[in-house]
Every structure is written in structure tokens, then in C-alpha cells.
Amino acid sequence: MKIALYQMHVIPGKPEENMKKISEWFNSLDEEIDLVVLPEMWNTSYRLSDLNELADEDGQVIIPFLQEEAKRMNKHIVGGSIAYKTGNDIYNRAIIINNKGVLINTYDKAHLVPMLNEHHYLTSGEKKPRIFNIDDIEMGTIICYDLRFPELARSLALEDAKVIFVTAQWPASRIDHWQSLLKARAIENQVFIVACNTVGTCDNNEFGGHTLVYAPDGTLINSLYEDEGTLTVELDFETQEQIRESIPIFNSLRTDLY
Ligand SMILES: NC(=O)CCC(=O)C(=O)O
């Protein structure tokens, strides 16, 4: 499975411009890419106090946009997350669309970030992420700050996820946490961690890039640095099976103790 991740410089507060950037990025991709990954809150960035006006109401604009793009490009889209308004609530919602244009999964960020006052502007998700299946592979997604809560990634691994996507707007000041936590989630769950961050700034926040992919044994498959760009990787699921056979952690789990 060939994957391209967009380490995007999201333009704060400009959903239309960001959609245009994404279409242009899709056009730049090789035909052989099967699946693309976008970052967190790519429609608005962290213009939290303006989300009432900026968030996509019931996904009416962005979901059809991504559905059309998925069909046009014949690629699966792990659509990062968007600011999604429904009634009086605004969620930080992940959107997954397959290459036929079908919306196959959504997840609302469960852990809101105190350092960004997300809870003043967003409603937290009340359900854990669910597994989705693409090309016969079980996968799951979490969003940014969720990464600090290992139980969430573990719950996906226990439901047989082989790949966990982490879409983010992770700050430059804590990029060492980003790298260490992603690597730990890969090793402890023996999954591919496919992590897409942003670059650039939004008001006082500077985002740190380092979009990367870890193999299920924690080997870094590929990484970007601090510039906007594309990371491409190929996931080898046979190697994952070998890693799981050589260190069979799931057979050693003590669910009677914890
Ligand atoms: N957008 C985020 O969830 C940022 C998370 C963060 O800053 C951190 O965990 O540190």
C-alpha cells in the first residue's frame, strides 16, 4: 500500500483557500499512490474563536468535496480532521473516505487540549474511534493530543488495527514529545504509525512538521522536517507479521491483571 501524507501549511481561517491547496496537492500526486493523509483541522487551523462562522456546518461543503476528489483521484482519503459544526456543537472531526467516494468512518477528538483552550470552543467526542477497513487492512485514526493517551491507540490495536493514523497540528516547541510518543505507540502496539503534522503558524502557535511513518518495530521508515511538502511511503504488511511473530506481545497480555 502506497501512502502520501501532506505536511501542509494550513492558511488560518480560510477554508476555501485550503480546499484549493488540497486539490492542487492531489493533482501533484503519482497515480500509484493508494491512500492520502491530511492533517488536523486543515479547513480552519486554530482560529478557535472564529469557528462558529468558519466550521463546516454538518460537513456540507467538505464531505462532498473530499468524496468527489477521492473518486476523481481514485485514492482513499484519511481526511485528517476538520472543524465540524452541528447544531450548537463544534467538533474536531476525522473523516475517512474510500476511493469510491464513500464516507466510511468518522471520529470526534476525545481529548481536548487544555493548553489551547480547545474546551472553550469545541465539544469533545464521546465515542472511542472505530476500526475501518481499506483494501482488506484494518486501520484506525486518532487526533493529535489523543496521542498522549496510550489507551486509545491500544484499544484500536486490540481491535486488530494494523495501521494507526495520527493527524495533528503539533507545536514545534514539543516536537520531541511527538516523535517519542509516536515511536512508543508503534512499538507497544506493533502497528504502523502514520503521522501527519502541519507547518507554519496560526497566531501564536508554531507547528513543527516532522510528518513521519514508523514501522511496527519502531523503525523510522521516512520523515519530513520543517518545510511544507509530501511524504511518501510504502507499507509492508508481511514484515509486520514477522515482527508480531518474533515478539508475540499480544499472546503475553495479562488481561486478568489490567
Ligand atoms: N492540536 C493538538 O492536539 C496539540 C497537542 C499538543 O500541543 C500536545 O499534546 O502537546
mmCIF file of all heavy atoms in Angstrom, residues 202-234:
data_model
loop_
_atom_site.group_PDB
_atom_site.id
_atom_site.type_symbol
_atom_site.label_atom_id
_atom_site.label_comp_id
_atom_site.label_asym_id
_atom_site.label_seq_id
_atom_site.Cartn_x
_atom_site.Cartn_y
_atom_site.Cartn_z
ATOM 1 N N CYS A 202 -0.169 29.795 13.320
ATOM 2 C CA CYS A 202 -1.526 30.339 13.443
ATOM 3 C C CYS A 202 -1.509 31.175 14.722
ATOM 4 O O CYS A 202 -1.364 30.625 15.825
ATOM 5 C CB CYS A 202 -2.557 29.219 13.527
ATOM 6 S SG CYS A 202 -4.237 29.826 13.734
ATOM 7 N N ASP A 203 -1.607 32.474 14.560
ATOM 8 C CA ASP A 203 -1.481 33.398 15.694
ATOM 9 C C ASP A 203 -0.185 33.089 16.457
ATOM 10 O O ASP A 203 0.861 33.120 15.858
ATOM 11 C CB ASP A 203 -2.752 33.354 16.554
ATOM 12 C CG ASP A 203 -3.980 33.682 15.683
ATOM 13 O OD1 ASP A 203 -3.845 34.524 14.777
ATOM 14 O OD2 ASP A 203 -5.046 33.062 15.877
ATOM 15 N N ASN A 204 -0.283 32.707 17.750
ATOM 16 C CA ASN A 204 0.966 32.475 18.493
ATOM 17 C C ASN A 204 1.473 31.044 18.420
ATOM 18 O O ASN A 204 2.456 30.710 19.069
ATOM 19 C CB ASN A 204 0.766 32.820 19.982
ATOM 20 C CG ASN A 204 0.498 34.290 20.146
ATOM 21 O OD1 ASN A 204 1.020 35.117 19.375
ATOM 22 N ND2 ASN A 204 -0.335 34.633 21.116
ATOM 23 N N ASN A 205 0.771 30.201 17.646
ATOM 24 C CA ASN A 205 1.177 28.788 17.595
ATOM 25 C C ASN A 205 2.058 28.529 16.381
ATOM 26 O O ASN A 205 1.682 28.883 15.266
ATOM 27 C CB ASN A 205 -0.055 27.888 17.493
ATOM 28 C CG ASN A 205 -0.996 28.082 18.665
ATOM 29 O OD1 ASN A 205 -0.589 27.934 19.806
ATOM 30 N ND2 ASN A 205 -2.237 28.442 18.390
ATOM 31 N N GLU A 206 3.198 27.893 16.642
ATOM 32 C CA GLU A 206 4.059 27.487 15.529
ATOM 33 C C GLU A 206 4.064 25.956 15.476
ATOM 34 O O GLU A 206 4.324 25.300 16.489
ATOM 35 C CB GLU A 206 5.490 28.000 15.752
ATOM 36 C CG GLU A 206 6.363 27.752 14.553
ATOM 37 C CD GLU A 206 7.845 27.990 14.844
ATOM 38 O OE1 GLU A 206 8.186 28.587 15.879
ATOM 39 O OE2 GLU A 206 8.644 27.526 14.013
ATOM 40 N N PHE A 207 3.753 25.426 14.303
ATOM 41 C CA PHE A 207 3.630 23.973 14.171
ATOM 42 C C PHE A 207 4.940 23.386 13.644
ATOM 43 O O PHE A 207 5.641 24.023 12.853
ATOM 44 C CB PHE A 207 2.439 23.627 13.280
ATOM 45 C CG PHE A 207 1.168 24.257 13.803
ATOM 46 C CD1 PHE A 207 0.572 25.314 13.122
ATOM 47 C CD2 PHE A 207 0.626 23.848 15.011
ATOM 48 C CE1 PHE A 207 -0.564 25.934 13.634
ATOM 49 C CE2 PHE A 207 -0.514 24.463 15.526
ATOM 50 C CZ PHE A 207 -1.108 25.508 14.838
ATOM 51 N N GLY A 208 5.224 22.132 14.112
ATOM 52 C CA GLY A 208 6.599 21.649 13.998
ATOM 53 C C GLY A 208 6.911 20.655 12.902
ATOM 54 O O GLY A 208 8.039 20.138 12.845
ATOM 55 N N GLY A 209 5.950 20.329 12.026
ATOM 56 C CA GLY A 209 6.268 19.394 10.942
ATOM 57 C C GLY A 209 6.676 18.026 11.474
ATOM 58 O O GLY A 209 6.072 17.500 12.382
ATOM 59 N N HIS A 210 7.742 17.466 10.886
ATOM 60 C CA HIS A 210 8.190 16.106 11.233
ATOM 61 C C HIS A 210 7.075 15.074 11.052
ATOM 62 O O HIS A 210 6.894 14.172 11.871
ATOM 63 C CB HIS A 210 8.787 16.040 12.645
ATOM 64 C CG HIS A 210 10.104 16.746 12.726
ATOM 65 N ND1 HIS A 210 10.199 18.114 12.914
ATOM 66 C CD2 HIS A 210 11.364 16.293 12.577
ATOM 67 C CE1 HIS A 210 11.468 18.460 12.899
ATOM 68 N NE2 HIS A 210 12.200 17.383 12.691
ATOM 69 N N THR A 211 6.335 15.263 9.979
ATOM 70 C CA THR A 211 5.434 14.219 9.496
ATOM 71 C C THR A 211 6.273 12.976 9.271
ATOM 72 O O THR A 211 7.372 13.074 8.696
ATOM 73 C CB THR A 211 4.791 14.721 8.187
ATOM 74 O OG1 THR A 211 3.862 15.737 8.549
ATOM 75 C CG2 THR A 211 4.116 13.634 7.382
ATOM 76 N N LEU A 212 5.800 11.825 9.742
ATOM 77 C CA LEU A 212 6.665 10.640 9.684
ATOM 78 C C LEU A 212 5.845 9.363 9.707
ATOM 79 O O LEU A 212 4.657 9.377 10.024
ATOM 80 C CB LEU A 212 7.657 10.652 10.859
ATOM 81 C CG LEU A 212 7.079 10.709 12.272
ATOM 82 C CD1 LEU A 212 6.594 9.374 12.755
ATOM 83 C CD2 LEU A 212 8.139 11.230 13.215
ATOM 84 N N VAL A 213 6.541 8.265 9.396
ATOM 85 C CA VAL A 213 5.925 6.937 9.490
ATOM 86 C C VAL A 213 6.899 6.004 10.204
ATOM 87 O O VAL A 213 8.066 5.898 9.831
ATOM 88 C CB VAL A 213 5.578 6.380 8.088
ATOM 89 C CG1 VAL A 213 4.990 4.973 8.205
ATOM 90 C CG2 VAL A 213 4.561 7.301 7.394
ATOM 91 N N TYR A 214 6.396 5.375 11.271
ATOM 92 C CA TYR A 214 7.167 4.352 11.983
ATOM 93 C C TYR A 214 6.652 2.963 11.609
ATOM 94 O O TYR A 214 5.430 2.757 11.503
ATOM 95 C CB TYR A 214 7.038 4.507 13.505
ATOM 96 C CG TYR A 214 7.908 5.596 14.088
ATOM 97 C CD1 TYR A 214 7.341 6.690 14.737
ATOM 98 C CD2 TYR A 214 9.293 5.525 14.017
ATOM 99 C CE1 TYR A 214 8.137 7.688 15.285
ATOM 100 C CE2 TYR A 214 10.098 6.521 14.564
ATOM 101 C CZ TYR A 214 9.513 7.597 15.199
ATOM 102 O OH TYR A 214 10.304 8.578 15.731
ATOM 103 N N ALA A 215 7.582 2.024 11.467
ATOM 104 C CA ALA A 215 7.226 0.607 11.265
ATOM 105 C C ALA A 215 6.799 0.008 12.610
ATOM 106 O O ALA A 215 7.065 0.589 13.666
ATOM 107 C CB ALA A 215 8.443 -0.127 10.708
ATOM 108 N N PRO A 216 6.192 -1.189 12.580
ATOM 109 C CA PRO A 216 5.700 -1.800 13.821
ATOM 110 C C PRO A 216 6.792 -2.169 14.831
ATOM 111 O O PRO A 216 6.473 -2.526 15.957
ATOM 112 C CB PRO A 216 4.987 -3.067 13.329
ATOM 113 C CG PRO A 216 4.651 -2.784 11.914
ATOM 114 C CD PRO A 216 5.732 -1.911 11.384
ATOM 115 N N ASP A 217 8.069 -2.104 14.446
ATOM 116 C CA ASP A 217 9.136 -2.304 15.442
ATOM 117 C C ASP A 217 9.786 -0.977 15.822
ATOM 118 O O ASP A 217 10.842 -0.941 16.452
ATOM 119 C CB ASP A 217 10.198 -3.276 14.913
ATOM 120 C CG ASP A 217 10.883 -2.736 13.660
ATOM 121 O OD1 ASP A 217 10.485 -1.662 13.147
ATOM 122 O OD2 ASP A 217 11.837 -3.385 13.179
ATOM 123 N N GLY A 218 9.188 0.132 15.426
ATOM 124 C CA GLY A 218 9.708 1.445 15.801
ATOM 125 C C GLY A 218 10.756 1.997 14.848
ATOM 126 O O GLY A 218 11.308 3.076 15.081
ATOM 127 N N THR A 219 11.041 1.265 13.774
ATOM 128 C CA THR A 219 11.988 1.792 12.777
ATOM 129 C C THR A 219 11.331 2.968 12.052
ATOM 130 O O THR A 219 10.176 2.866 11.636
ATOM 131 C CB THR A 219 12.332 0.709 11.729
ATOM 132 O OG1 THR A 219 12.812 -0.430 12.428
ATOM 133 C CG2 THR A 219 13.374 1.189 10.746
ATOM 134 N N LEU A 220 12.094 4.045 11.897
ATOM 135 C CA LEU A 220 11.574 5.200 11.159
ATOM 136 C C LEU A 220 11.633 4.880 9.670
ATOM 137 O O LEU A 220 12.723 4.685 9.117
ATOM 138 C CB LEU A 220 12.413 6.434 11.479
ATOM 139 C CG LEU A 220 11.953 7.741 10.845
ATOM 140 C CD1 LEU A 220 10.577 8.152 11.361
ATOM 141 C CD2 LEU A 220 12.965 8.849 11.128
ATOM 142 N N ILE A 221 10.492 4.808 9.007
ATOM 143 C CA ILE A 221 10.502 4.476 7.565
ATOM 144 C C ILE A 221 10.840 5.714 6.753
ATOM 145 O O ILE A 221 11.617 5.672 5.808
ATOM 146 C CB ILE A 221 9.131 3.894 7.129
ATOM 147 C CG1 ILE A 221 8.838 2.602 7.900
ATOM 148 C CG2 ILE A 221 9.118 3.629 5.631
ATOM 149 C CD1 ILE A 221 7.517 1.950 7.536
ATOM 150 N N ASN A 222 10.253 6.836 7.126
ATOM 151 C CA ASN A 222 10.552 8.080 6.396
ATOM 152 C C ASN A 222 10.014 9.255 7.202
ATOM 153 O O ASN A 222 9.073 9.104 7.986
ATOM 154 C CB ASN A 222 9.902 8.058 5.009
ATOM 155 C CG ASN A 222 10.635 8.924 4.003
ATOM 156 O OD1 ASN A 222 11.534 9.685 4.370
ATOM 157 N ND2 ASN A 222 10.252 8.820 2.743
ATOM 158 N N SER A 223 10.612 10.432 6.998
ATOM 159 C CA SER A 223 10.191 11.617 7.755
ATOM 160 C C SER A 223 10.453 12.880 6.950
ATOM 161 O O SER A 223 11.377 12.920 6.135
ATOM 162 C CB SER A 223 10.992 11.683 9.059
ATOM 163 O OG SER A 223 10.727 12.882 9.743
ATOM 164 N N LEU A 224 9.637 13.889 7.186
ATOM 165 C CA LEU A 224 9.937 15.227 6.671
ATOM 166 C C LEU A 224 10.531 16.063 7.807
ATOM 167 O O LEU A 224 10.590 15.625 8.960
ATOM 168 C CB LEU A 224 8.652 15.891 6.156
ATOM 169 C CG LEU A 224 7.956 15.237 4.951
ATOM 170 C CD1 LEU A 224 6.656 15.975 4.633
ATOM 171 C CD2 LEU A 224 8.868 15.225 3.729
ATOM 172 N N TYR A 225 10.911 17.296 7.498
ATOM 173 C CA TYR A 225 11.439 18.199 8.522
ATOM 174 C C TYR A 225 10.461 19.357 8.705
ATOM 175 O O TYR A 225 9.274 19.132 8.920
ATOM 176 C CB TYR A 225 12.867 18.608 8.161
ATOM 177 C CG TYR A 225 13.761 17.395 8.151
ATOM 178 C CD1 TYR A 225 14.024 16.701 6.964
ATOM 179 C CD2 TYR A 225 14.265 16.883 9.341
ATOM 180 C CE1 TYR A 225 14.787 15.541 6.970
ATOM 181 C CE2 TYR A 225 15.028 15.728 9.357
ATOM 182 C CZ TYR A 225 15.295 15.063 8.172
ATOM 183 O OH TYR A 225 16.032 13.917 8.185
ATOM 184 N N GLU A 226 10.912 20.598 8.566
ATOM 185 C CA GLU A 226 10.026 21.717 8.924
ATOM 186 C C GLU A 226 9.384 22.419 7.732
ATOM 187 O O GLU A 226 8.730 23.444 7.904
ATOM 188 C CB GLU A 226 10.786 22.770 9.745
ATOM 189 C CG GLU A 226 11.134 22.340 11.160
ATOM 190 C CD GLU A 226 12.489 21.645 11.229
ATOM 191 O OE1 GLU A 226 13.229 21.680 10.222
ATOM 192 O OE2 GLU A 226 12.793 21.064 12.285
ATOM 193 N N ASP A 227 9.593 21.905 6.512
ATOM 194 C CA ASP A 227 9.023 22.590 5.343
ATOM 195 C C ASP A 227 7.727 21.928 4.888
ATOM 196 O O ASP A 227 7.543 20.727 5.077
ATOM 197 C CB ASP A 227 10.014 22.563 4.172
ATOM 198 C CG ASP A 227 11.261 23.366 4.489
ATOM 199 O OD1 ASP A 227 11.134 24.387 5.195
ATOM 200 O OD2 ASP A 227 12.353 22.944 4.059
ATOM 201 N N GLU A 228 6.896 22.715 4.234
ATOM 202 C CA GLU A 228 5.698 22.144 3.635
ATOM 203 C C GLU A 228 6.120 21.102 2.583
ATOM 204 O O GLU A 228 7.097 21.313 1.871
ATOM 205 C CB GLU A 228 4.868 23.243 2.974
ATOM 206 C CG GLU A 228 3.522 22.736 2.477
ATOM 207 C CD GLU A 228 2.595 23.856 2.033
ATOM 208 O OE1 GLU A 228 3.043 24.707 1.235
ATOM 209 O OE2 GLU A 228 1.453 23.881 2.472
ATOM 210 N N GLY A 229 5.379 20.005 2.482
ATOM 211 C CA GLY A 229 5.757 19.017 1.461
ATOM 212 C C GLY A 229 5.006 17.716 1.600
ATOM 213 O O GLY A 229 4.056 17.600 2.368
ATOM 214 N N THR A 230 5.469 16.745 0.819
ATOM 215 C CA THR A 230 4.803 15.438 0.728
ATOM 216 C C THR A 230 5.750 14.355 1.208
ATOM 217 O O THR A 230 6.917 14.318 0.809
ATOM 218 C CB THR A 230 4.461 15.145 -0.751
ATOM 219 O OG1 THR A 230 3.659 16.211 -1.233
ATOM 220 C CG2 THR A 230 3.712 13.834 -0.901
ATOM 221 N N LEU A 231 5.227 13.473 2.044
ATOM 222 C CA LEU A 231 5.980 12.286 2.449
ATOM 223 C C LEU A 231 5.317 11.086 1.796
ATOM 224 O O LEU A 231 4.097 10.911 1.908
ATOM 225 C CB LEU A 231 5.922 12.133 3.973
ATOM 226 C CG LEU A 231 6.726 10.972 4.537
ATOM 227 C CD1 LEU A 231 8.218 11.302 4.483
ATOM 228 C CD2 LEU A 231 6.339 10.666 5.976
ATOM 229 N N THR A 232 6.107 10.269 1.105
ATOM 230 C CA THR A 232 5.525 9.056 0.529
ATOM 231 C C THR A 232 6.207 7.830 1.136
ATOM 232 O O THR A 232 7.418 7.838 1.372
ATOM 233 C CB THR A 232 5.674 9.008 -1.013
ATOM 234 O OG1 THR A 232 7.032 9.220 -1.337
ATOM 235 C CG2 THR A 232 4.825 10.039 -1.685
ATOM 236 N N VAL A 233 5.394 6.824 1.401
ATOM 237 C CA VAL A 233 5.921 5.578 1.979
ATOM 238 C C VAL A 233 5.135 4.407 1.418
ATOM 239 O O VAL A 233 4.008 4.572 0.949
ATOM 240 C CB VAL A 233 5.769 5.528 3.524
ATOM 241 C CG1 VAL A 233 6.681 6.487 4.233
ATOM 242 C CG2 VAL A 233 4.330 5.712 3.955
ATOM 243 N N GLU A 234 5.741 3.230 1.531
ATOM 244 C CA GLU A 234 5.025 2.010 1.176
ATOM 245 C C GLU A 234 5.007 1.127 2.421
ATOM 246 O O GLU A 234 6.051 0.923 3.056
ATOM 247 C CB GLU A 234 5.737 1.299 0.015
ATOM 248 C CG GLU A 234 4.970 0.090 -0.416
ATOM 249 C CD GLU A 234 5.412 -0.423 -1.791
ATOM 250 O OE1 GLU A 234 6.371 0.130 -2.370
ATOM 251 O OE2 GLU A 234 4.789 -1.378 -2.263
#
